[in-house]
Amino acid sequence: ERAVPARARHALAGTRASATAAHRLLRPGAAIFPDAGTTVLQLARRIRLNPMPLRIFTNGLAVAQELINISELDVTLIGGQLRSENASLVGPQAEAMLDAIWLDQLFLGVSAIGPDGAIYSIDSAEASLNKHMLARAANRFVLADSSKFGTMATHKVAPLTAARAITDTGLAPKWRSRCAELGVEPIFAEEDAF
């Protein structure tokens, strides 16, 4: 697994486009959970540029740091064991905190979307926490640049049908067809500057 700064630079145009599309889905006053993914970090940066009143819960240290000192935001960093590889908090304490809240929107980054049409994570503790996130949100969105489709990671999180996928327009025709077969209608994000 590449460290956060290296992953943040990978497929930057696609991740920024997905973050912009996700930002358009936000509603003032909502309780949201942006996780610790690098694509989701771009969403946090978009929120910083265009804030609105939000209650934000996150397990991402970089996400929380990005949102410091913005008066419209009420930010809660959930506790847990520090996973240094992506500066996230995971484990039983994080899961217990999630089980005590209900979210309007989840924005979940992923390691991979496998050929079987499932969401995957590199880390078992992260995969377990991702399952809790999906169970605690009314509206679930997976932010995945097109390069993540058709790749694999070790730990299965959930079928892609458990959330709405937000991706860039570079998604291969094969994967557009596969999404249709699965009954998944991705939200396609146009690349833009931010």
Side-chain angles (χ1 to χ4, degrees):
E1 182 175 17
R2 291 180 294 175
V4 174
R7 287 187 295 124
R9 288 188 300 273
H10 177 74
L12 188 57
T15 60
R16 284 183 171 173
S18 296
T20 298
H23 188 271
R24 289 186 188 117
L25 298 170
L26 295 173
R27 297 293 170 258
I32 71 167
F33 196 108
D35 85 333
T38 53
T39 304
V40 179
L41 178 58
Q42 294 297 327
L43 171 59
R45 290 176 176 156
R46 178 57 89 181
I47 291 169
R48 182 169 197 73
L49 291 172
N50 299 295
M52 67 182 75
L54 293 169
R55 288 171 291 140
I56 298 177
F57 298 84
T58 187
N59 70 318
L61 295 177
V63 168
Q65 192 170 19
E66 193 68 37
L67 301 174
I68 288 173
N69 294 326
I70 301 173
S71 62
E72 294 94 335
L73 306 179
D74 177 4
V75 180
T76 301
L77 184 62
I78 66 169
Q81 180 179 3
L82 178 61
R83 184 169 175 267
S84 298
E85 294 85 353
N86 72 339
S88 66
L89 297 162
V90 296
Q93 296 89 352
E95 292 173 7
M97 282 190 75
L98 266 171
D99 289 343
I101 60 174
W102 182 250
L103 304 159
D104 296 310
Q105 295 175 306
L106 166 67
F107 296 96
L108 179 66
V110 299
S111 299
I113 297 174
D116 61 350
I119 300 163
Y120 284 86
S121 177
I122 289 172
D123 182 77
S124 62
E126 191 114 349
S128 180
L129 186 62
N130 290 167
K131 290 175 187 176
H132 280 261
M133 293 174 190
L134 288 164
R136 302 303 301 163
N139 298 289
R140 299 168 299 275
F141 300 95
V142 168
L143 278 68
D145 69 76
S146 57
S147 71
K148 302 259 179 99
F149 287 77
T151 63
M152 286 299 295
T154 309
H155 302 279
K156 186 174 182 178
V157 174
L160 185 56
T161 54
R164 187 94 189 264
I166 301 174
T167 190
D168 59 87
T169 56
L171 188 65
K174 172 180 138 182
W175 266 100
R176 290 175 188 245
S177 298
R178 182 75 175 116
C179 285
E181 288 169 16
L182 294 168
V184 172
E185 187 179 338
I187 297 169
F188 289 103
E190 297 292 332
E191 291 186 13
D192 67 347
F194 99 63

Coordinates of all heavy atoms in Angstrom, one line a residue, residues 76-173:
T76 N -16.4 15.8 14.0 CA -16.1 14.8 15.1 C -15.1 13.7 14.4 O -15.5 13.1 13.4 CB -17.3 14.1 15.6 OG1 -18.2 15.1 16.1 CG2 -17.0 13.0 16.6
L77 N -14.0 13.6 15.1 CA -13.1 12.5 14.7 C -13.3 11.3 15.5 O -13.3 11.4 16.7 CB -11.6 13.0 14.8 CG -10.5 12.1 14.4 CD1 -10.5 11.8 12.9 CD2 -9.1 12.7 14.8
I78 N -13.7 10.2 14.9 CA -14.0 9.0 15.7 C -12.7 8.4 16.2 O -11.7 8.5 15.6 CB -14.9 8.0 14.9 CG1 -14.1 7.4 13.7 CG2 -16.2 8.6 14.4 CD1 -14.8 6.2 13.1
G79 N -12.8 7.7 17.3 CA -11.6 7.2 17.9 C -11.3 5.8 17.4 O -12.0 5.2 16.6
G80 N -10.2 5.2 17.8 CA -9.8 3.9 17.4 C -8.3 3.8 17.3 O -7.5 4.6 17.8
Q81 N -7.9 2.7 16.8 CA -6.4 2.4 16.6 C -5.9 3.1 15.3 O -6.5 3.0 14.3 CB -6.2 0.9 16.5 CG -4.8 0.5 16.3 CD -4.6 -1.0 16.2 OE1 -5.6 -1.8 16.2 NE2 -3.4 -1.5 16.1
L82 N -4.8 3.7 15.5 CA -4.2 4.5 14.3 C -3.6 3.5 13.3 O -2.8 2.6 13.7 CB -3.1 5.4 14.8 CG -2.4 6.2 13.7 CD1 -3.3 7.1 12.9 CD2 -1.2 7.0 14.3
R83 N -4.1 3.6 12.1 CA -3.5 2.9 11.0 C -2.7 3.8 10.2 O -3.2 4.7 9.4 CB -4.7 2.3 10.1 CG -4.2 1.4 9.0 CD -5.3 0.6 8.4 NE -4.7 -0.1 7.2 CZ -4.7 0.4 6.0 NH1 -5.3 1.5 5.7 NH2 -4.1 -0.3 5.0
S84 N -1.4 3.8 10.4 CA -0.4 4.7 9.8 C -0.4 4.8 8.3 O -0.2 5.9 7.7 CB 1.0 4.5 10.3 OG 1.0 4.6 11.7
E85 N -0.7 3.7 7.7 CA -0.6 3.6 6.2 C -1.4 4.6 5.5 O -1.1 5.1 4.4 CB -0.9 2.2 5.7 CG 0.1 1.1 6.1 CD -0.2 0.5 7.5 OE1 -1.1 1.1 8.2 OE2 0.5 -0.4 7.9
N86 N -2.6 4.9 6.1 CA -3.5 5.9 5.4 C -4.0 6.9 6.4 O -5.0 7.6 6.2 CB -4.6 5.3 4.6 CG -5.7 4.6 5.5 OD1 -5.4 4.3 6.7 ND2 -6.8 4.5 4.9
A87 N -3.3 7.0 7.6 CA -3.7 8.0 8.6 C -5.2 7.9 9.0 O -5.9 8.9 9.0 CB -3.3 9.4 8.1
S88 N -5.6 6.7 9.3 CA -7.0 6.5 9.6 C -7.1 5.8 11.0 O -6.1 5.3 11.5 CB -7.7 5.6 8.6 OG -7.2 4.3 8.6
L89 N -8.3 5.9 11.6 CA -8.6 5.2 12.8 C -9.5 4.1 12.6 O -10.6 4.3 11.9 CB -9.2 6.3 13.8 CG -8.2 7.4 14.2 CD1 -8.9 8.6 14.8 CD2 -7.1 6.9 15.1
V90 N -9.2 2.9 13.1 CA -10.0 1.7 12.8 C -10.1 0.9 14.1 O -9.6 1.3 15.1 CB -9.3 0.8 11.7 CG1 -9.3 1.6 10.4 CG2 -7.9 0.4 12.1
G91 N -10.8 -0.2 14.0 CA -10.9 -1.1 15.1 C -12.2 -1.1 15.9 O -13.1 -0.3 15.5
P92 N -12.3 -1.9 17.0 CA -13.5 -2.0 17.7 C -14.0 -0.6 18.3 O -15.3 -0.4 18.3 CB -13.2 -2.9 18.9 CG -12.0 -3.7 18.4 CD -11.3 -2.8 17.5
Q93 N -13.1 0.2 18.8 CA -13.6 1.5 19.3 C -14.2 2.4 18.2 O -15.3 3.0 18.4 CB -12.4 2.3 19.9 CG -11.9 1.6 21.2 CD -10.7 0.7 20.8 OE1 -10.5 0.4 19.6 NE2 -10.0 0.2 21.8
A94 N -13.6 2.4 17.0 CA -14.2 3.1 15.9 C -15.5 2.6 15.5 O -16.5 3.3 15.2 CB -13.2 3.1 14.7
E95 N -15.6 1.2 15.5 CA -16.9 0.6 15.1 C -18.0 0.9 16.1 O -19.1 1.2 15.8 CB -16.7 -0.9 14.9 CG -15.8 -1.2 13.7 CD -15.4 -2.7 13.6 OE1 -16.0 -3.5 14.4 OE2 -14.6 -3.1 12.8
A96 N -17.6 0.9 17.4 CA -18.6 1.2 18.5 C -19.1 2.6 18.3 O -20.3 2.9 18.5 CB -18.0 1.0 19.8
M97 N -18.3 3.6 18.0 CA -18.7 5.0 17.8 C -19.7 5.1 16.6 O -20.7 5.8 16.7 CB -17.5 5.9 17.6 CG -16.8 6.3 18.9 SD -15.6 7.6 18.7 CE -16.6 9.0 18.5
L98 N -19.3 4.4 15.5 CA -20.2 4.4 14.4 C -21.6 3.8 14.7 O -22.6 4.3 14.2 CB -19.6 3.6 13.2 CG -18.7 4.4 12.2 CD1 -18.0 3.4 11.3 CD2 -19.6 5.3 11.4
D99 N -21.6 2.7 15.5 CA -22.9 2.1 15.8 C -23.8 3.0 16.6 O -25.0 2.7 16.8 CB -22.6 0.8 16.5 CG -22.0 -0.3 15.6 OD1 -22.1 -0.1 14.4 OD2 -21.4 -1.3 16.1
A100 N -23.2 4.1 17.2 CA -24.0 5.0 18.0 C -24.5 6.2 17.3 O -25.2 7.1 17.9 CB -23.2 5.4 19.2
I101 N -24.3 6.3 16.0 CA -24.7 7.5 15.2 C -25.4 7.0 13.9 O -25.3 5.9 13.5 CB -23.5 8.4 14.8 CG1 -22.5 7.6 14.0 CG2 -22.9 9.0 16.0 CD1 -21.3 8.5 13.4
W102 N -26.2 7.9 13.3 CA -26.9 7.7 12.1 C -26.5 8.8 11.1 O -26.4 10.0 11.6 CB -28.4 7.6 12.2 CG -29.1 7.4 10.9 CD1 -29.8 8.2 10.2 CD2 -29.0 6.1 10.2 NE1 -30.3 7.6 9.0 CE2 -29.8 6.3 9.0 CE3 -28.4 4.9 10.4 CZ2 -30.0 5.3 8.1 CZ3 -28.6 3.9 9.4 CH2 -29.4 4.1 8.3
L103 N -26.1 8.5 9.9 CA -25.6 9.5 9.0 C -26.6 9.7 7.8 O -27.2 8.7 7.3 CB -24.3 9.0 8.4 CG -23.2 8.7 9.5 CD1 -22.2 7.7 9.0 CD2 -22.6 9.9 10.0
D104 N -26.6 10.9 7.3 CA -27.4 11.2 6.1 C -26.6 10.7 4.9 O -27.2 10.2 3.9 CB -27.6 12.7 6.0 CG -28.5 13.2 7.1 OD1 -29.6 12.6 7.4 OD2 -28.1 14.2 7.8
Q105 N -25.3 10.9 4.9 CA -24.5 10.6 3.7 C -23.2 10.0 4.1 O -22.5 10.5 5.0 CB -24.3 11.8 2.8 CG -25.5 12.4 2.2 CD -25.3 13.6 1.4 OE1 -24.7 14.6 1.9 NE2 -25.7 13.7 0.2
L106 N -22.8 9.0 3.4 CA -21.4 8.4 3.5 C -20.7 8.6 2.2 O -21.2 8.3 1.1 CB -21.5 6.9 3.8 CG -20.2 6.1 3.7 CD1 -19.2 6.5 4.7 CD2 -20.5 4.6 3.7
F107 N -19.4 9.0 2.3 CA -18.6 9.1 1.1 C -17.4 8.2 1.4 O -16.5 8.5 2.2 CB -18.2 10.6 0.9 CG -19.3 11.4 0.6 CD1 -20.0 12.2 1.6 CD2 -19.8 11.5 -0.7 CE1 -21.1 12.9 1.3 CE2 -21.0 12.3 -1.0 CZ -21.6 13.0 0.0
L108 N -17.3 7.1 0.7 CA -16.4 6.0 1.0 C -15.4 5.9 -0.1 O -15.8 5.7 -1.3 CB -17.2 4.7 1.2 CG -16.4 3.4 1.4 CD1 -15.7 3.5 2.8 CD2 -17.3 2.2 1.4
G109 N -14.1 6.0 0.2 CA -13.1 5.7 -0.8 C -12.8 4.2 -0.8 O -13.1 3.5 0.2
V110 N -12.3 3.6 -1.8 CA -12.1 2.2 -1.9 C -10.7 1.9 -2.5 O -10.1 2.7 -3.2 CB -13.1 1.5 -2.8 CG1 -14.5 1.7 -2.2 CG2 -13.1 2.0 -4.2
S111 N -10.2 0.7 -2.1 CA -8.9 0.3 -2.7 C -9.1 -0.3 -4.1 O -8.3 -0.1 -5.0 CB -8.3 -0.8 -1.8 OG -8.0 -0.3 -0.6
A112 N -10.2 -1.0 -4.3 CA -10.5 -1.6 -5.6 C -12.0 -1.9 -5.7 O -12.7 -2.1 -4.8 CB -9.7 -2.9 -5.7
I113 N -12.4 -2.1 -7.0 CA -13.7 -2.6 -7.3 C -13.4 -3.8 -8.3 O -12.9 -3.6 -9.4 CB -14.6 -1.6 -8.0 CG1 -14.9 -0.4 -7.0 CG2 -15.9 -2.2 -8.5 CD1 -15.6 0.8 -7.6
G114 N -13.6 -5.0 -7.7 CA -13.2 -6.2 -8.4 C -14.0 -6.6 -9.6 O -15.2 -6.1 -9.7
P115 N -13.5 -7.5 -10.4 CA -14.3 -8.0 -11.5 C -15.6 -8.7 -11.1 O -16.6 -8.7 -11.9 CB -13.4 -9.1 -12.1 CG -12.0 -8.7 -11.7 CD -12.2 -8.1 -10.3
D116 N -15.7 -9.1 -9.8 CA -17.0 -9.6 -9.3 C -18.0 -8.6 -9.0 O -19.1 -8.9 -8.5 CB -16.7 -10.6 -8.1 CG -16.1 -9.8 -7.0 OD1 -15.7 -8.7 -7.1 OD2 -16.0 -10.4 -5.9
G117 N -17.6 -7.3 -9.1 CA -18.6 -6.2 -8.8 C -18.7 -5.9 -7.3 O -19.7 -5.5 -6.9
A118 N -17.6 -6.2 -6.6 CA -17.6 -5.9 -5.2 C -16.5 -4.9 -4.9 O -15.5 -4.7 -5.6 CB -17.3 -7.2 -4.4
I119 N -16.7 -4.2 -3.7 CA -15.8 -3.2 -3.2 C -14.8 -4.0 -2.3 O -15.2 -4.8 -1.5 CB -16.6 -2.2 -2.3 CG1 -17.6 -1.5 -3.1 CG2 -15.6 -1.2 -1.6 CD1 -18.7 -0.8 -2.3
Y120 N -13.5 -3.6 -2.5 CA -12.4 -4.3 -1.7 C -11.5 -3.2 -1.0 O -11.4 -2.1 -1.5 CB -11.6 -5.1 -2.6 CG -12.2 -6.4 -3.1 CD1 -13.1 -6.4 -4.2 CD2 -12.0 -7.6 -2.4 CE1 -13.7 -7.6 -4.6 CE2 -12.6 -8.7 -2.7 CZ -13.5 -8.8 -3.8 OH -14.1 -9.9 -4.2
S121 N -10.9 -3.7 0.1 CA -10.0 -2.9 0.8 C -8.7 -3.7 1.0 O -8.7 -4.9 1.0 CB -10.5 -2.6 2.2 OG -9.6 -1.8 3.0
I122 N -7.6 -3.0 1.2 CA -6.3 -3.7 1.4 C -6.2 -4.2 2.8 O -5.5 -5.2 3.1 CB -5.2 -2.6 1.1 CG1 -5.1 -2.3 -0.3 CG2 -3.8 -3.1 1.7 CD1 -4.2 -1.2 -0.7
D123 N -6.9 -3.6 3.8 CA -6.7 -3.9 5.2 C -8.0 -4.5 5.8 O -9.1 -4.0 5.6 CB -6.3 -2.6 5.9 CG -6.1 -2.8 7.4 OD1 -5.0 -3.3 7.7 OD2 -7.0 -2.5 8.2
S124 N -7.8 -5.5 6.6 CA -9.0 -6.2 7.2 C -9.8 -5.3 8.2 O -11.0 -5.3 8.2 CB -8.6 -7.5 7.9 OG -7.7 -7.2 9.0
A125 N -9.0 -4.5 9.0 CA -9.7 -3.6 10.0 C -10.4 -2.5 9.2 O -11.6 -2.1 9.6 CB -8.7 -3.0 10.9
E126 N -9.9 -2.0 8.2 CA -10.5 -1.0 7.4 C -11.8 -1.5 6.7 O -12.8 -0.9 6.7 CB -9.5 -0.5 6.3 CG -10.0 0.8 5.6 CD -9.2 2.0 5.9 OE1 -8.3 2.0 6.8 OE2 -9.4 3.0 5.2
A127 N -11.7 -2.8 6.2 CA -12.8 -3.4 5.5 C -14.0 -3.6 6.5 O -15.1 -3.3 6.2 CB -12.4 -4.7 4.9
S128 N -13.6 -4.0 7.7 CA -14.7 -4.2 8.8 C -15.3 -2.8 9.1 O -16.6 -2.7 9.2 CB -14.0 -4.8 10.0 OG -15.0 -4.9 11.0
L129 N -14.5 -1.8 9.3 CA -15.1 -0.5 9.6 C -15.9 0.0 8.4 O -17.0 0.6 8.6 CB -14.0 0.5 9.9 CG -14.4 1.9 10.3 CD1 -15.2 1.8 11.7 CD2 -13.2 2.8 10.5
N130 N -15.5 -0.2 7.2 CA -16.3 0.2 6.0 C -17.7 -0.4 6.0 O -18.7 0.2 5.7 CB -15.6 -0.2 4.7 CG -14.3 0.6 4.4 OD1 -13.5 0.2 3.5 ND2 -14.1 1.7 5.1
K131 N -17.8 -1.7 6.4 CA -19.1 -2.4 6.5 C -19.9 -1.7 7.5 O -21.1 -1.5 7.3 CB -18.9 -3.8 6.9 CG -18.2 -4.7 5.8 CD -17.9 -6.1 6.3 CE -17.2 -6.9 5.3 NZ -16.8 -8.2 5.7
H132 N -19.4 -1.3 8.7 CA -20.2 -0.5 9.7 C -20.6 0.8 9.1 O -21.8 1.2 9.3 CB -19.3 -0.3 10.9 CG -19.2 -1.4 11.8 ND1 -20.0 -1.6 13.0 CD2 -18.5 -2.6 11.8 CE1 -19.8 -2.7 13.6 NE2 -18.8 -3.3 12.9
M133 N -19.8 1.5 8.3 CA -20.1 2.8 7.7 C -21.3 2.6 6.8 O -22.3 3.4 6.9 CB -19.0 3.3 6.9 CG -17.8 3.8 7.7 SD -16.4 4.2 6.5 CE -15.1 4.4 7.6
L134 N -21.3 1.6 6.0 CA -22.4 1.3 5.0 C -23.7 1.0 5.7 O -24.8 1.4 5.3 CB -22.0 0.1 4.1 CG -20.9 0.5 3.0 CD1 -20.4 -0.8 2.5 CD2 -21.5 1.4 1.9
A135 N -23.6 0.4 6.9 CA -24.8 0.0 7.6 C -25.4 1.2 8.4 O -26.6 1.2 8.8 CB -24.5 -1.1 8.6
R136 N -24.7 2.3 8.6 CA -25.1 3.4 9.4 C -25.4 4.7 8.6 O -25.6 5.7 9.2 CB -24.0 3.8 10.4 CG -23.6 2.6 11.3 CD -24.8 2.1 12.1 NE -25.4 3.1 12.9 CZ -26.6 2.9 13.5 NH1 -27.3 1.8 13.3 NH2 -27.2 3.9 14.2
A137 N -25.6 4.6 7.3 CA -25.9 5.7 6.4 C -27.1 5.5 5.5 O -27.3 4.5 5.0 CB -24.6 6.0 5.6
A138 N -27.9 6.6 5.4 CA -29.1 6.5 4.6 C -28.7 6.6 3.1 O -29.2 5.8 2.3 CB -30.0 7.7 4.9
N139 N -27.7 7.4 2.7 CA -27.3 7.5 1.4 C -25.8 7.3 1.3 O -25.0 7.9 2.0 CB -27.6 9.0 0.8 CG -29.0 9.3 0.8 OD1 -29.8 8.7 0.0 ND2 -29.5 10.1 1.8
R140 N -25.4 6.3 0.5 CA -24.0 5.8 0.5 C -23.4 6.0 -0.9 O -24.0 5.6 -1.9 CB -24.0 4.3 0.9 CG -24.6 4.0 2.3 CD -24.9 2.6 2.5 NE -25.8 2.0 1.6 CZ -27.2 2.0 1.8 NH1 -27.7 2.7 2.8 NH2 -28.0 1.4 1.0
F141 N -22.2 6.6 -0.9 CA -21.6 6.9 -2.1 C -20.1 6.3 -2.1 O -19.4 6.5 -1.1 CB -21.5 8.4 -2.4 CG -22.9 9.0 -2.5 CD1 -23.4 9.6 -1.4 CD2 -23.6 9.0 -3.7 CE1 -24.7 10.2 -1.5 CE2 -24.8 9.5 -3.8 CZ -25.4 10.1 -2.7
V142 N -19.7 5.6 -3.1 CA -18.3 5.2 -3.3 C -17.7 6.1 -4.2 O -18.1 6.3 -5.3 CB -18.3 3.7 -3.8 CG1 -16.9 3.4 -4.2 CG2 -18.8 2.8 -2.8
L143 N -16.6 6.7 -3.8 CA -15.8 7.6 -4.7 C -14.6 6.8 -5.2 O -13.7 6.4 -4.4 CB -15.3 8.8 -3.9 CG -16.3 10.0 -3.8 CD1 -17.4 9.6 -2.9 CD2 -15.6 11.2 -3.3
A144 N -14.6 6.5 -6.5 CA -13.5 5.7 -7.0 C -13.2 6.2 -8.4 O -14.0 6.2 -9.3 CB -14.0 4.2 -7.1
D145 N -11.9 6.6 -8.6 CA -11.6 7.0 -10.0 C -11.6 5.8 -10.9 O -11.5 4.6 -10.4 CB -10.2 7.7 -10.0 CG -9.1 6.8 -9.7 OD1 -8.7 6.0 -10.5 OD2 -8.5 6.9 -8.5
S146 N -11.7 5.9 -12.1 CA -11.9 4.8 -13.1 C -10.8 3.8 -13.0 O -11.0 2.6 -13.4 CB -12.1 5.4 -14.5 OG -10.9 6.1 -14.9
S147 N -9.6 4.2 -12.6 CA -8.5 3.2 -12.5 C -8.7 2.1 -11.5 O -8.1 1.1 -11.5 CB -7.2 3.9 -12.2 OG -7.1 4.4 -10.9
K148 N -9.6 2.3 -10.5 CA -9.9 1.3 -9.5 C -10.8 0.2 -9.9 O -10.8 -0.9 -9.3 CB -10.6 2.0 -8.3 CG -9.7 3.1 -7.7 CD -9.0 2.7 -6.4 CE -8.2 3.9 -5.9 NZ -8.8 4.5 -4.8
F149 N -11.6 0.4 -11.0 CA -12.5 -0.6 -11.5 C -11.7 -1.7 -12.2 O -10.8 -1.5 -13.0 CB -13.5 0.0 -12.5 CG -14.5 0.8 -11.8 CD1 -14.2 2.1 -11.4 CD2 -15.8 0.3 -11.6 CE1 -15.2 2.9 -10.8 CE2 -16.8 1.1 -11.0 CZ -16.5 2.4 -10.6
G150 N -12.0 -3.0 -11.8 CA -11.4 -4.1 -12.4 C -10.1 -4.5 -11.7 O -9.3 -5.3 -12.2
T151 N -9.8 -3.9 -10.6 CA -8.6 -4.2 -9.8 C -9.1 -5.0 -8.5 O -10.3 -5.1 -8.2 CB -7.9 -3.0 -9.4 OG1 -8.7 -2.2 -8.5 CG2 -7.5 -2.2 -10.6
M152 N -8.1 -5.6 -7.9 CA -8.4 -6.4 -6.7 C -7.6 -5.9 -5.5 O -6.5 -5.4 -5.6 CB -8.1 -7.9 -6.9 CG -9.1 -8.5 -7.8 SD -10.8 -8.5 -7.2 CE -10.6 -9.5 -5.7
A153 N -8.1 -6.1 -4.3 CA -7.4 -6.0 -3.0 C -7.9 -7.2 -2.2 O -8.7 -8.0 -2.6 CB -7.8 -4.7 -2.4
T154 N -7.3 -7.3 -1.0 CA -7.5 -8.6 -0.3 C -8.8 -8.8 0.4 O -9.4 -9.9 0.3 CB -6.4 -8.6 0.8 OG1 -5.1 -8.4 0.2 CG2 -6.3 -9.9 1.5
H155 N -9.4 -7.7 0.9 CA -10.6 -7.9 1.8 C -11.8 -7.3 1.2 O -11.9 -6.1 0.9 CB -10.3 -7.3 3.2 CG -9.1 -7.8 3.9 ND1 -9.1 -9.0 4.5 CD2 -7.8 -7.4 3.9 CE1 -7.9 -9.3 5.0 NE2 -7.1 -8.3 4.6
K156 N -12.8 -8.2 1.0 CA -14.1 -7.8 0.5 C -14.9 -7.0 1.5 O -15.0 -7.4 2.6 CB -14.9 -9.0 0.0 CG -16.2 -8.7 -0.7 CD -16.8 -10.0 -1.2 CE -18.1 -9.7 -2.0 NZ -18.7 -10.9 -2.6
V157 N -15.5 -5.9 1.0 CA -16.3 -5.0 1.9 C -17.8 -5.3 1.7 O -18.5 -5.6 2.6 CB -15.9 -3.5 1.6 CG1 -16.9 -2.6 2.4 CG2 -14.5 -3.2 2.0
A158 N -18.2 -5.1 0.4 CA -19.6 -5.2 0.1 C -19.8 -5.3 -1.4 O -18.9 -4.9 -2.1 CB -20.4 -4.1 0.7
P159 N -20.9 -5.7 -1.9 CA -21.2 -5.5 -3.3 C -21.3 -4.1 -3.7 O -21.7 -3.2 -2.9 CB -22.5 -6.3 -3.6 CG -23.1 -6.4 -2.2 CD -22.1 -6.3 -1.2
L160 N -20.9 -3.7 -4.9 CA -21.0 -2.3 -5.4 C -22.4 -1.8 -5.3 O -22.6 -0.6 -5.2 CB -20.4 -2.2 -6.8 CG -20.3 -0.8 -7.4 CD1 -19.4 0.1 -6.5 CD2 -19.7 -0.9 -8.8
T161 N -23.4 -2.7 -5.4 CA -24.8 -2.3 -5.3 C -25.1 -1.7 -3.9 O -26.2 -1.1 -3.7 CB -25.7 -3.5 -5.6 OG1 -25.4 -4.6 -4.7 CG2 -25.6 -3.9 -7.0
A162 N -24.3 -1.8 -2.9 CA -24.5 -1.3 -1.6 C -24.4 0.2 -1.5 O -24.8 0.8 -0.5 CB -23.6 -1.9 -0.6
A163 N -23.9 0.8 -2.6 CA -23.6 2.3 -2.6 C -23.8 2.8 -4.1 O -23.7 2.0 -5.0 CB -22.3 2.6 -2.0
R164 N -23.9 4.1 -4.2 CA -23.9 4.7 -5.5 C -22.4 5.0 -5.9 O -21.7 5.7 -5.1 CB -24.7 5.9 -5.5 CG -25.0 6.6 -6.8 CD -26.3 6.1 -7.5 NE -26.4 6.6 -8.8 CZ -27.0 7.7 -9.2 NH1 -27.6 8.4 -8.3 NH2 -27.1 8.0 -10.5
A165 N -21.9 4.6 -7.0 CA -20.6 4.9 -7.4 C -20.4 6.3 -8.1 O -21.3 6.7 -8.9 CB -20.1 3.9 -8.4
I166 N -19.4 7.0 -7.6 CA -19.1 8.3 -8.3 C -17.7 8.1 -8.9 O -16.8 7.8 -8.2 CB -19.1 9.5 -7.3 CG1 -20.4 9.7 -6.6 CG2 -18.6 10.8 -8.0 CD1 -20.4 10.7 -5.5
T167 N -17.6 8.3 -10.2 CA -16.3 8.1 -10.9 C -16.2 9.1 -12.0 O -17.1 9.8 -12.3 CB -16.2 6.6 -11.4 OG1 -14.9 6.4 -11.8 CG2 -17.2 6.3 -12.5
D168 N -15.0 9.0 -12.6 CA -14.7 10.0 -13.7 C -15.1 9.4 -15.0 O -15.4 8.2 -15.1 CB -13.2 10.3 -13.7 CG -12.3 9.1 -13.9 OD1 -12.1 8.7 -15.0 OD2 -11.9 8.6 -12.8
T169 N -15.2 10.2 -16.1 CA -15.6 9.8 -17.4 C -14.7 8.8 -18.1 O -15.0 8.3 -19.2 CB -15.9 11.0 -18.3 OG1 -14.7 11.8 -18.3 CG2 -17.1 11.8 -17.7
G170 N -13.5 8.6 -17.5 CA -12.5 7.6 -18.1 C -12.9 6.2 -17.9 O -12.1 5.3 -18.2
L171 N -14.1 5.9 -17.2 CA -14.5 4.5 -17.0 C -14.6 3.8 -18.3 O -15.3 4.2 -19.2 CB -15.8 4.5 -16.2 CG -16.2 3.1 -15.7 CD1 -15.3 2.6 -14.7 CD2 -17.6 3.2 -15.2
A172 N -13.9 2.6 -18.4 CA -13.8 1.8 -19.6 C -15.2 1.4 -20.0 O -16.1 1.0 -19.2 CB -12.9 0.6 -19.4
P173 N -15.5 1.3 -21.4 CA -16.8 0.8 -21.9 C -17.2 -0.6 -21.3 O -18.3 -0.8 -20.9 CB -16.6 0.7 -23.4 CG -15.5 1.7 -23.7 CD -14.6 1.7 -22.5

